[in-house]
């Protein structure tokens, strides 16, 4: 599978990739114009239009919502903060339902400011997901835990490997449960020696999203220097072959945070490059 | 164990911490003046004095060499490059023997430029260590594999977890073999959900070095923004209790790369802070 280019209809645009120059309406229309069939909005962009209006516009342009970014951020210093996080996730689930999103991506959160209790944060994440899971199921919105690169463990997400995400799924819904799965983002997991085995372990049922970009050498910034597919060191076709072997047939969602390069360019050119690289490098 | 301050005699200075303003002679004399009993030189600093002269000066000042930094960097694009890496490691082993270093730290290397073959790089690392192990044993120099943070997987070290380092030890020397172990650096491994279990698995025989510093939030630079113990989010006493529970009785080596802060200060003040923080935060 890794030797033939991917189905071009499976390309999806995560709106982070062009967030600096376009609003959500422009993104939707840009995708339609470029023949990109999927879109994954962030909530700040969604707020500009409102979920209902956005859903209407997305449907009118024939796009699939491959995910809503993002829920999560569960750990907090006190009960009130944890409650606020849960309420925010319930709202995100409802927006995802309105959009008929294939999943709500969970960036689970790190340690509350001042805390050094990483294990405690991980417990809060488990409890937070557990607290919103029923509502998500009721709304028909699968929750996708996104393991983030270990360089974000302190402040963004204390779930940092596929193994951890699989363990959380086991604990919360069992090995055959539904409604909870994983968003595999190459940028975060490409280095993991267990990656292939943990993708197999996740299997079709848990693989809810596949995010693509590349790891640049050197990387100038921890947050905002992701590369376009093909410009870095990740063997994307190989990892795509692993998720396909596990049964994944969903979209390939381009998510590039790039303050110094791609965010500065004409978004329409960025979309054209995404399409080209999806075929030549993925 | 985590509730009482560590033995102050176990503090060691990795020379990277004061590398910008002091030469090796100043570092050795600075440690002696401040009552720091261990030192771990980098080879660039060692080259200034030569290994024999450095060994004499270190002994004259009553210091223990807790490690030599560094060997490794095994993967290369061709046979000639791999051979050059092995020869460089053989020289490093001899210098470590001259210094009576407790170990030679291995930063194993990443992918050769242009390569996306992470698994292949990992095989080259295994083969490279295997090629120098006998010489290291003959010289009485234990080799300490240092798992580096996954953000360095591409270009510095493709061994990124304690589990991987333990697996390499199993493969190369078996579960009871000697001459090969692990350097545990908090900065690289603090985030790992398997850390406690893998420290237990390593045990006294494999735990050859314990490097301390802190993870800052935010971290401004991937390479040169490490924090002084106490200034970040790592629960150092907890992890120290884990290595002690596994039987480790060696030094606590401060290694701080900090272009924007500690490297700019008077090194004598930095050493004083290391001593104070070792007692108050470790």
């Amino acid at each position: 599978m890794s030797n033939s280019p991917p189905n071009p209809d499976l390309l999806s645009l995560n709106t982070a990739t062009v967030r600096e120059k376009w609003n959500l309406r422009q993104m939707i229309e840009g995708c339609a114009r470029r023949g990109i069939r999927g879109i994954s909005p962030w909530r700040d962009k969604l707020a500009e239009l409102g979920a209902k209006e956005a859903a209407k516009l997305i449907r009118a342009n024939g796009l699939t919502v491959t995910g809503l970014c993002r829920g999560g951020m569960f750990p907090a210093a006190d009960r009130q903060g944890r409650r606020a996080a849960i309420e925010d996730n319930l709202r995100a689930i409802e927006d995802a339902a309105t959009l008929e999103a294939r999943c709500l991506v969970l960036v689970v959160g790190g340690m509350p400011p001042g805390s050094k209790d990483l294990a405690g944060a991980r417990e809060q994440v488990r409890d937070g997901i557990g607290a919103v899971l029923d509502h998500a199921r009721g709304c028909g919105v699968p929750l996708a835990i996104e393991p983030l690169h270990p360089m974000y463990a302190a402040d963004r997400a204390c779930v940092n490997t596929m193994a951890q995400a699989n363990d959380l799924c086991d604990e919360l819904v069992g090995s055959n449960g539904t409604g909870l799965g994983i968003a595999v983002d190459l940028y975060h997991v490409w280095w993991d020696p267990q990656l292939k085995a943990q993708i197999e372990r996740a299997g079709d049922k848990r693989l809810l999203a596949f995010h693509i970009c590349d790891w640049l050498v050197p990387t100038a910034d921890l947050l905002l220097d992701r590369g376009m597919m093909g410009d870095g060191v990740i063997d994307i076709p190989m990892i795509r072959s692993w998720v396909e072997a596990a049964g994944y047939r969903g979209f390939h969602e381009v998510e590039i945070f790039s303050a110094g390069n791609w965010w500065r360019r004409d978004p329409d050119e960025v979309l054209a490059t995404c399409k080209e690289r999806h075929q030549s490098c993925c």
Side-chain angles (χ1 to χ4, degrees), chain A residues 224-246:
Chain A
L224 303 180
D225 193 31
R226 299 193 192 186
M228 178 65 67
M229 298 81 74
D231 289 344
V233 299
I234 303 177
D235 187 339
I236 303 175
M238 181 180 71
I239 302 178
R240 174 169 70 89
S241 79
W242 296 347
V243 299
E244 289 176 354

Side-chain angles (χ1 to χ4, degrees), chain A residues 186-203:
Chain A
L186 290 179
Y187 194 74
H188 298 302
V189 301
W190 73 277
W191 60 272
D192 186 352
Q194 293 187 47
L195 181 57
K196 188 180 181 193
Q198 292 294 331
I199 285 172
E200 284 171 13
R201 176 182 166 199

Side-chain angles (χ1 to χ4, degrees), chain A residues 241-262:
Chain A
S241 79
W242 296 347
V243 299
E244 289 176 354
Y248 182 76
R249 296 290 177 268
F251 281 78
H252 311 150
E253 184 180 317
V254 181
E255 184 180 35
I256 302 176
F257 294 79
S258 170
N261 185 354
W262 298 99

Side-chain angles (χ1 to χ4, degrees), chain A residues 35-241:
Chain A
I36 293 174
R37 311 284 297 267
I39 192 166
S40 179
W42 278 65
R43 288 168 75 197
D44 58 335
K45 293 290 179 182
L46 192 65
E48 298 165 0
L49 274 179
K52 279 186 191 163
E53 185 62 24
K56 208 192 300 182
L57 194 61
I58 287 168
R59 268 193 291 269
N61 281 278
L63 305 183
T64 298
V65 177
T66 58
L68 175 63
C69 292
R70 56 176 166 66
M73 296 292 165
F74 294 105
D78 55 26
R79 183 184 299 263
Q80 195 179 354
R82 289 191 285 278
R83 188 65 232 168
I86 285 169
E87 280 161 13
D88 184 61
N89 275 274
L90 297 177
R91 285 191 297 273
I93 288 165
E94 281 155 24
D95 283 348
T98 302
L99 293 170
E100 296 173 26
R102 293 215 171 166
C103 62
L104 173 66
V105 172
L106 301 182
V107 173
V108 299
M111 292 179 283
S115 168
K116 302 187 183 194
D117 185 6
L118 186 57
R122 287 168 171 162
E123 287 171 8
Q124 288 194 38
V125 165
R126 178 201 59 203
D127 295 345
I129 297 173
V132 301
L133 189 53
D134 277 348
H135 188 64
R137 280 184 173 136
C139 293
V141 175
L143 301 177
I145 301 167
E146 182 172 353
L148 252 57
H149 195 284
M151 67 187 174
Y152 306 123
D155 49 349
R156 280 183 174 72
C158 58
V159 173
N160 307 104
T161 63
M162 287 286 294
Q164 249 186 305
N166 269 316
D167 288 348
L168 272 171
C169 290
D170 279 353
E171 187 172 354
L172 287 166
V173 300
S175 56
N176 286 309
T178 56
L180 183 63
I182 302 174
V184 178
D185 184 319
L186 290 179
Y187 194 74
H188 298 302
V189 301
W190 73 277
W191 60 272
D192 186 352
Q194 293 187 47
L195 181 57
K196 188 180 181 193
Q198 292 294 331
I199 285 172
E200 284 171 13
R201 176 182 166 199
D204 180 30
K205 189 169 288 186
R206 283 187 188 163
L207 294 172
L208 299 179
F210 182 53
H211 296 188
I212 58 178
C213 71
D214 215 332
W215 180 278
L216 299 176
V217 176
T219 291
D221 184 273
L222 271 80
L223 270 177
L224 303 180
D225 193 31
R226 299 193 192 186
M228 178 65 67
M229 298 81 74
D231 289 344
V233 299
I234 303 177
D235 187 339
I236 303 175
M238 181 180 71
I239 302 178
R240 174 169 70 89
S241 79

